[in-house]
Amino acid sequence: MTDHSAHLTLELCKDDSGAESIALLTLNRPDIKNAISDGEVIDAIEQTLAQVNDRQDIKVAVFTGAGKVFSGGGNIKAMQQRSGMFAGDAQQLSANYKAFIQRIPLAFAQLEIPIIAAVNGPAVGAGNDMVCMCDIAIASEQATFAESFIKLGIIPGDGGAWLLPRRIGMQHALEMALTGRTFSADEALRMGLVSRVVPHTQLLGSALGLARQMATNDARCLRETKRLFNAARSQTLEQALDDAAQIQGQLHHAPGFKL
């Protein structure tokens, strides 16, 4: 099954059992460097993630970009022309950020299944932050990363100040954000922005291979494990233990429980 969207394609891939339980999502606007600030692209991301989330037969997702760029973030041409979400006075622009690009991190946050970023090329600005919206990232050796908002005289308007420190720590996050410079895939690996770097030709195979390893596990347990880890970031130890006890009690009586 393939959705030939003009902006984001959805392809179902088989796991080791032969079931189509892995969703391969590909940003499909290489003509604009897979920019994610256009309304149509935002709608496609939001709707496709919701569609994947609602399907209990899909266990894991892989997210990548078509062409040579993972995502260039905001549409620079639209910024220059003050069009689309970048049109209007200061008050209108503030409203536009909430109405447009800020819907993307919220859509990723609502995704219950694990999602792996397969970073095939430059991940710039909001594209870099979208790497952090995914649970795990694997990078091609050709990938580069830049939290480059400051180079345009702006700040991360897409939640980068919340996302990036949680991924790589405050010190590394501030170095990326305050310099705006481009980091190599190896530097991203050392900071923990990605979990591994692979030869470019092996990127998609590596990401799908990791997805297949996850997909061997029970669908509900995958979702509950992701939810538990995300919730624990804002919980006390006592709250996290209570949450785990409640879920564990249910899973011991669920069909996926194995001895």
Side-chain angles (χ1 to χ4, degrees), residues 5 9 29 43 91 103 105 107 109 174 176 185 210 221 229 239 249:
S5 165
T9 62
R29 290 300 305 275
D43 289 343
Q91 184 175 0
R103 287 159 47 200
L174 283 173
M176 290 192 76
L210 178 58
C221 201
F229 272 73
Q239 290 169 331

Side-chain angles (χ1 to χ4, degrees), residues 119-168:
V119 189
N120 55 298
V124 182
N128 183 75
D129 292 337
M130 192 161 58
V131 174
C132 300
M133 297 175 203
C134 297
D135 301 309
I136 298 168
I138 297 175
S140 156
E141 59 194 356
Q142 297 179 15
T144 56
F145 303 83
E147 189 77 355
S148 54
F149 300 93
I150 203 164
K151 293 295 188 183
L152 301 176
I154 56 177
I155 49 89
D158 62 329
W162 191 92
L163 293 159
L164 197 57
R166 282 169 168 78
R167 185 62 156 261
I168 62 175

Side-chain angles (χ1 to χ4, degrees), residues 3-239:
D3 174 19
H4 295 285
S5 165
H7 307 290
L8 182 69
T9 62
L10 164 61
E11 179 182 356
L12 294 184
C13 302
K14 293 182 179 179
D15 60 27
D16 290 343
S17 72
E20 292 183 328
S21 67
I22 300 168
L24 175 59
L25 309 176
T26 306
L27 281 171
N28 196 33
R29 290 300 305 275
D31 55 311
I32 56 171
K33 299 182 178 180
N34 294 323
I36 56 174
S37 56
D38 291 10
E40 296 85 355
V41 179
I42 294 167
D43 289 343
I45 292 172
E46 188 176 57
Q47 293 166 13
T48 304
L49 289 179
Q51 177 186 351
V52 168
N53 212 29
D54 289 341
R55 292 191 51 168
Q56 297 303 308
D57 58 326
I58 297 178
K59 292 183 173 183
V60 188
V62 173
F63 198 98
T64 193
K68 297 181 179 180
V69 176
F70 177 73
S71 175
N75 189 328
I76 299 298
K77 184 177 180 180
M79 291 184 193
Q80 292 171 337
Q81 297 176 345
R82 297 189 181 277
S83 62
M85 70 160 284
F86 304 110
D89 59 17
Q91 184 175 0
Q92 183 61 53
L93 277 164
S94 296
N96 287 348
Y97 269 87
K98 294 179 181 179
F100 289 95
I101 202 166
Q102 289 184 356
R103 287 159 47 200
I104 295 177
L106 294 175
F108 272 90
Q110 291 165 8
L111 185 65
E112 297 175 1
I113 64 170
I115 184 165
I116 302 162
V119 189
N120 55 298
V124 182
N128 183 75
D129 292 337
M130 192 161 58
V131 174
C132 300
M133 297 175 203
C134 297
D135 301 309
I136 298 168
I138 297 175
S140 156
E141 59 194 356
Q142 297 179 15
T144 56
F145 303 83
E147 189 77 355
S148 54
F149 300 93
I150 203 164
K151 293 295 188 183
L152 301 176
I154 56 177
I155 49 89
D158 62 329
W162 191 92
L163 293 159
L164 197 57
R166 282 169 168 78
R167 185 62 156 261
I168 62 175
M170 185 63 75
Q171 183 169 238
H172 289 313
L174 283 173
E175 182 180 354
M176 290 192 76
L178 296 178
T179 66
R181 77 169 176 89
T182 298
F183 288 72
S184 69
D186 285 339
E187 288 178 301
L189 177 63
R190 288 194 291 271
M191 291 189 296
L193 183 55
V194 302
S195 68
R196 68 180 84 164
V197 177
V198 299
H200 186 70
T201 56
Q202 297 177 19
L203 175 65
L204 197 54
S206 297
L208 289 172
L210 178 58
R212 290 188 181 100
Q213 289 179 47
M214 295 179 183
T216 62
N217 298 306
D218 177 68
R220 179 181 175 186
C221 201
L222 285 170
R223 292 182 182 232
E224 293 286 12
T225 299
K226 174 175 173 174
R227 191 193 69 76
L228 187 71
F229 272 73
N230 283 336
R233 293 188 299 182
S234 59
Q235 292 175 328
T236 64
L237 174 59
E238 289 78 9
Q239 290 169 331

